[in-house]
Amino acid sequence: MEKQVFQLVSPLVRRNAAHAIANAPEGYRCEIRPKTRTLAQNDLLWSVLTDISKQVEFVVNGELIKVSPGEVKDILTAGLKRETRMAMGIDGGMVILGQRTSKMTVRELAELIELAHAFGTQRGVEWSRASLGRDQ
């Protein structure tokens, strides 16, 4: 049996999911969790991260510099949970560990986008139309 994913959107889908569970081989696992981020949320997030990366400087290794959108994501996801996790790099130095956005729920990613907008607005970021959720 291959992996099956059911979006619980109707009684028929729920029945199909229950049937798949009842007939799954011994040792299989069932997981029910909130829906993960949408593609529209992901697009909005990366537009916001890009605007921030082009307009805001961060202190990195004691120097004020602009960082990539991916690095902005790492900084903001670490701040989302109000925790800083760091690891030693393989050749020394420290690496800040952020949170994977691909595993975030719709609600969690909405909170990250809200945090990013607040962060950028406080620092005078001029938002692109895409970062405001408007079509190009």
Side-chain angles (χ1 to χ4, degrees), residues 84-105:
T84 302
R85 295 179 59 222
M86 295 189 297
M88 182 66 72
I90 60 172
D91 289 325
M94 299 302 289
V95 178
I96 294 177
L97 304 175
Q99 187 179 0
R100 292 187 50 142
T101 55
S102 62
K103 303 293 184 188
M104 287 185 177
T105 65

Side-chain angles (χ1 to χ4, degrees), residues 29-123:
R29 179 174 74 97
C30 175
E31 180 177 291
I32 297 177
R33 58 182 172 82
K35 182 179 177 182
T36 55
R37 67 174 182 175
T38 67
L39 291 177
Q41 278 184 307
N42 190 56
D43 291 345
L44 176 59
L45 174 66
W46 283 98
S47 179
V48 170
L49 296 173
T50 299
D51 284 350
I52 292 171
S53 76
K54 289 178 179 176
Q55 298 176 52
V56 176
E57 292 182 323
F58 294 85
V59 177
V60 178
N61 294 334
E63 189 177 334
L64 199 57
I65 63 169
K66 290 188 176 156
V67 298
S68 72
E71 291 167 324
V72 174
K73 180 183 76 75
D74 291 339
I75 293 166
L76 292 176
T77 56
L80 182 65
K81 299 292 184 182
R82 302 224 184 263
E83 99 176 311
T84 302
R85 295 179 59 222
M86 295 189 297
M88 182 66 72
I90 60 172
D91 289 325
M94 299 302 289
V95 178
I96 294 177
L97 304 175
Q99 187 179 0
R100 292 187 50 142
T101 55
S102 62
K103 303 293 184 188
M104 287 185 177
T105 65
V106 169
R107 184 172 150 239
E108 289 170 328
L109 201 68
E111 290 172 358
L112 178 60
I113 291 168
E114 185 178 327
L115 172 66
H117 272 135
F119 174 84
T121 298
Q122 286 177 337
R123 285 152 183 83

